[in-house]
Amino acid sequence: MQLKKTSGILILLFALLFALTGCKSGNDAPESETTGSTWRYAHEEFEGDVQDVYAHKFKEYIEANSNHSIQIFRFGELGESDDIMEQTQAGILQFVNQSPGFTGSLIPEAQIFFIPYLMPVADEDVVRFFRTSVAINDMFTELYAEQGLELLSMYPEGEMVVTADTPVRSPEDFRGKNIRTMTNPLLAETYRAFGATPTPLPWGEVYGALQTNIIQGQENPIFWIQSGGLYEVSPNLIFTGHGWFTTAMMANQSFYQGLPGEDQQLIRDAAAHAFNYITEYIPGLGDRMLERILEAKPDVTVTRLSEEEQQTFRDRAPQVEQRFIEMTGERGARLLEQFKQDLDKVMQD
């Protein structure tokens, strides 16, 4: 599953291809409503995974309510997460789905989702938070706009679960383990606080690194552990209760702002349609995927930390929160304060 970084070559090839074929980039003026346009949309996951489901619901709405069409690219078809973001900012792609784990290099405040034990883990609470949060629906929009991105939707994908070469119940059990992290400084800080050695790797290298014991573990939502076959080479699943995987869907801002008002509204409505679907699709998904894993490999172990065991990790979370504030300054502190207010409201309702 090795995949080389090829963003520069890809951008050049796409630019040449579009020039030869007469295709327009995301920064060109839109085609007329009569002929419609083909818009390109890339995400980070495989066929049938959460981002793919969201993308197809977005496509379904656009194509049912306009003459436009959506071309979807899955993981690996245009490179990895960094590649598709570069292509979106360059206007080669009109839409991209990317998690804050990778966007954090552009938008440090997006790393807030990696502060452990900040968010609840119950499906219903998480969905309600994403629907109602001021931090999510207002403050993040401004942060993405600064990077030339029109934020259309942020949505949860699943509770984060750790896989490792041995079961883990305490920070001491993490000692000496290289745990793969996304290229995200705050996530690295989390696993450092947990007692492990954070090891940033692109997704394409993870399976092989687990197989060859270069790394001894990683974290992902259960559906991704299942679809990526990670349980085959990292067969001990640990439910730490420390957070949820979150992603964001966005458009190239120049492309979006250059559209007529009716197309902008069409895109907003399509994003809302896909968000509503995915927030009904997510609850229970983890349990269904866990059943598939256990059916495929019955010797997989499942460890669910007790409240007392979780507390030993919770006690280390404040140092990650402090590091987030140091990295993001006053803006990050304001975002974190609003984030907590939004969460408190959800938990009190």
Side-chain angles (χ1 to χ4, degrees):
M1 298 181 68
Q2 196 91 0
L3 184 66
K4 294 182 180 179
K5 306 292 283 179
T6 58
S7 59
I9 296 173
L10 282 167
I11 289 174
L12 178 59
L13 289 174
F14 266 89
L16 289 171
L17 176 63
F18 298 149
L20 290 171
T21 60
C23 293
K24 68 182 182 63
S25 76
N27 292 322
D28 290 334
E31 297 176 17
S32 71
E33 181 65 25
T34 304
T35 59
S37 303
T38 298
W39 296 333
R40 296 172 291 277
Y41 180 145
H43 64 72
E44 304 170 304
E45 295 175 357
F46 299 123
E47 182 177 3
D49 286 339
V50 173
Q51 290 183 22
D52 196 50
V53 172
Y54 179 100
H56 277 86
K57 285 297 169 182
F58 181 84
K59 171 185 171 75
E60 173 187 279
Y61 189 94
I62 293 287
E63 294 181 354
N65 292 279
S66 74
N67 292 325
H68 304 305
S69 61
I70 300 289
Q71 185 178 12
I72 296 173
F73 298 92
R74 301 187 179 100
F75 173 81
E77 294 177 354
L78 297 179
E80 294 216 18
S81 294
D82 292 345
D83 300 317
I84 60 176
M85 177 56 77
E86 288 179 16
Q87 292 163 37
T88 304
Q89 289 184 301
I92 293 168
L93 295 170
Q94 283 73 53
F95 303 101
V96 67
N97 213 139
Q98 187 176 79
S99 74
F102 294 104
T103 313
S105 60
L106 283 175
I107 306 167
E109 294 85 355
Q111 296 177 92
I112 195 170
F113 295 101
F114 297 96
I115 298 175
Y117 298 102
L118 179 61
M119 290 181 60
V121 294
D123 292 349
E124 297 79 8
D125 293 338
V126 172
V127 167
R128 199 158 64 249
F129 169 70
F130 274 84
R131 283 190 178 281
T132 61
S133 169
V134 174
I136 296 285
N137 297 301
D138 294 338
M139 297 176 77
F140 267 116
T141 300
E142 298 176 8
L143 295 171
Y144 277 75
E146 292 175 3
Q147 299 301 325
L149 299 165
E150 188 75 26
L151 181 62
L152 298 170
S153 182
M154 270 191 161
Y155 59 93
E157 294 198 55
E159 179 184 352
M160 295 301 285
V161 178
V162 182
T163 71
D165 58 339
T166 62
V168 170
R169 288 191 173 275
S170 69
E172 289 71 28
D173 292 339
F174 266 131
R175 192 168 296 144
K177 293 188 188 297
N178 295 320
I179 302 296
R180 180 264 178 171
T181 62
M182 290 177 279
T183 52
N184 179 300
L186 201 71
L187 184 56
E189 187 70 27
T190 292
Y191 277 93
R192 199 172 290 114
F194 283 178
T197 301
T199 307
L201 281 177
W203 163 248
E205 299 177 16
V206 174
Y207 190 99
L210 288 166
Q211 195 171 36
T212 56
N213 203 39
I214 293 171
I215 56 174
Q216 289 75 52
Q218 61 84 50
E219 68 160 33
N220 261 301
I222 279 288
F223 79 85
W224 189 244
I225 293 168
Q226 189 274 329
S227 68
L230 297 178
Y231 63 91
E232 299 166 352
V233 289
S234 190
N236 300 286
L237 277 54
I238 304 105
F239 287 74
T240 57
H242 73 275
W244 268 62
F245 191 84
T246 296
T247 194
M249 186 272 198
M250 62 212 89
N252 173 289
Q253 193 175 61
S254 295
F255 154 76
Y256 179 83
Q257 292 182 348
L259 292 172
E262 58 268 26
D263 279 348
Q264 292 185 9
Q265 188 60 51
L266 170 74
I267 288 168
R268 289 282 175 192
D269 291 344
H273 171 76
F275 176 87
N276 288 334
Y277 183 88
I278 216 68
T279 51
E280 293 178 1
Y281 177 81
I282 288 298
L285 177 64
D287 291 338
R288 296 193 297 274
M289 295 302 104
L290 180 57
E291 287 178 8
R292 289 191 188 180
I293 289 172
L294 294 174
E295 286 173 6
K297 191 173 173 63
D299 60 342
V300 164
T301 72
V302 179
T303 301
R304 297 182 185 273
L305 300 190
S306 67
E307 285 294 325
E308 184 178 354
E309 288 168 332
Q310 282 190 28
Q311 192 59 47
T312 63
F313 290 99
R314 287 180 185 273
D315 290 343
R316 299 178 178 221
Q319 69 189 73
V320 183
E321 184 173 308
Q322 180 57 39
R323 181 67 183 127
F324 171 77
I325 294 171
E326 291 170 3
M327 292 168 61
T328 58
E330 186 178 340
R331 284 209 310 186
R334 287 199 305 269
L335 180 68
L336 180 59
E337 181 181 0
Q338 184 63 57
F339 212 87
K340 289 181 176 180
Q341 288 177 12
D342 296 341
L343 286 166
D344 286 344
K345 187 170 186 230
V346 165
M347 301 310 290
Q348 289 167 9
D349 287 347

